Amino acid sequence: LRLGFDFGTPDADLLDMARGMPLELQDAMRRLAARLPTLKRRTELPTLPTPDLERWRSDRVYRTVHKVTADGTMQTFQFNDNFQTLHGAHAEEIATRIAKRELPSFCTQYRMLCYHLHLLLGLFGLFPMGADSPPPPLLLVARPNMVAAAKLPPTHRHHPANLILRVTFQMYGDGFATSSGRLSAEEFDRIVDANPAAKSVFSDCSLSGAELMQATNLHQEERLERMAASEQGRRRLRCLADKIVRLFQLDGEANATAVQGVPERGLCHEEIAEIRRGL
């Protein structure tokens, strides 16, 4: 939850996401929550470099730099001009929305969860290729201009075609940086075909590049509650739960680990607020 709050995700969206998790995924997330306090950040890595502003202004990729504390709380967040175009808003508005937790997510609930899990693996050096290797890129599907679209009346909102992004992470002792480049449908398919390992982390490659770009209702179809209501969606969520247990090395943990403040059922709004105050 802290990652979602720090990225400016609205409380209502996080509540909807938490309550939509099926029991198997809830169990894996509870076990992960119990494990995280025992993990150590890689503080021996170099510190964050100062962004090259000239390069950032001319860059065609989306760049961000995040400075975080030892317990994972985000202190500062920097982004380049091109990142503003992804959200369809000026820098000042993006910063204000993050502070107020009013920044619409540009990816689906399911893929936002995959992004945060991928980031946690990188922060703690838990990827299968070893702590000394950089995290593998994450293949992410995004809808641009979500801030701009949210300002329009519902009858006038137009959600443009999905973008496929290849997100590269660079970890530092006091934070991390990301660089996201756009892929064509053909480039996405070539990466997946050439690198089957992409399917084993948190890049969901169950659809082809063309199918992802043409999926106009993906934001609704990948709400966790909706996925849990279909056999195909439940299968994908079970696979995600299995990946969490395996990659975060939770096999030795007892099932349904109880975490203080997190009940066995889904979370209600008051419980979400209580956890938020504790963060």
Side-chain angles (χ1 to χ4, degrees):
L1 286 176
R2 170 176 287 158
L3 282 171
F5 288 134
D6 284 349
F7 276 83
T9 306
D11 293 3
D13 291 355
L14 290 173
L15 174 64
D16 187 57
M17 186 174 170
R19 296 176 71 174
M21 291 183 186
L23 290 177
E24 189 171 8
L25 183 55
Q26 285 187 32
D27 176 66
M29 294 295 287
R30 289 191 186 98
R31 294 163 68 183
L32 173 57
R35 171 105 164 98
L36 285 178
T38 70
L39 299 175
K40 299 297 183 182
R41 280 272 314 285
R42 302 190 61 210
T43 53
E44 80 280 3
L45 295 174
T47 57
L48 282 164
T50 302
D52 184 339
L53 297 181
E54 288 302 318
R55 181 185 177 190
W56 273 38
R57 291 191 185 97
S58 60
D59 232 336
R60 298 188 64 184
V61 301
Y62 310 106
R63 293 191 182 277
T64 66
V65 173
H66 309 252
K67 187 172 184 179
V68 297
T69 62
D71 66 356
T73 303
M74 187 155 61
Q75 284 184 310
T76 62
F77 174 40
Q78 297 172 282
F79 48 87
N80 67 347
D81 292 348
N82 209 30
F83 183 83
Q84 300 175 51
T85 67
L86 183 63
H87 285 278
H90 293 296
E92 293 79 7
E93 181 174 0
I94 292 175
T96 299
R97 284 178 174 270
I98 289 175
K100 293 183 176 181
R101 300 191 177 106
E102 296 176 352
L103 187 68
S105 174
F106 59 78
C107 58
T108 68
Q109 287 186 0
Y110 173 76
R111 293 173 196 272
M112 180 170 69
L113 180 57
C114 288
Y115 178 96
H116 289 162
L117 291 167
H118 189 102
L119 174 59
L120 284 174
L121 283 177
L123 286 173
F124 295 112
L126 293 176
F127 278 105
M129 62 285 299
D132 293 332
S133 299
L138 175 70
L139 302 177
L140 190 67
V141 182
R143 288 195 307 175
N145 301 319
M146 289 301 293
V147 172
K151 299 176 184 177
L152 299 174
T155 53
H156 291 77
R157 290 178 188 172
H158 170 65
H159 297 301
N162 297 321
L163 300 179
I164 301 178
L165 303 177
R166 184 176 185 269
V167 186
T168 301
F169 295 81
Q170 181 66 50
M171 297 298 163
Y172 295 93
D174 56 348
F176 64 96
T178 71
S179 172
S180 305
R182 293 174 61 168
L183 296 177
S184 67
E186 295 76 15
E187 289 171 328
F188 174 85
D189 292 336
R190 281 199 298 271
I191 289 175
V192 173
D193 291 341
N195 181 22
K199 301 179 183 179
S200 68
V201 192
F202 290 117
S203 295
D204 189 306
C205 307
S206 55
L207 299 175
S208 70
E211 289 172 327
L212 287 172
M213 285 191 158
Q214 296 166 8
T216 56
N217 203 33
L218 193 66
H219 224 70
Q220 284 299 316
E221 292 172 355
E222 290 191 348
R223 286 183 59 238
L224 298 186
E225 182 178 35
R226 185 158 176 175
M227 291 177 69
S230 71
E231 180 55 39
Q232 182 184 23
R234 285 193 297 273
R235 212 165 34 238
R236 292 171 69 192
L237 294 178
R238 279 197 300 270
C239 179
L240 179 60
D242 289 345
K243 288 181 180 179
I244 293 171
V245 171
R246 175 169 51 85
L247 293 168
F248 286 97
Q249 304 164 19
L250 306 177
D251 298 290
E253 302 287 336
N255 285 339
T257 301
V259 178
Q260 186 176 6
V262 181
E264 293 299 317
R265 52 185 165 72
L267 300 174
C268 70
H269 185 76
E270 290 76 14
E271 290 161 339
I272 290 282
E274 183 63 32
I275 292 173
R276 174 180 167 184
R277 284 193 290 272
L279 298 178

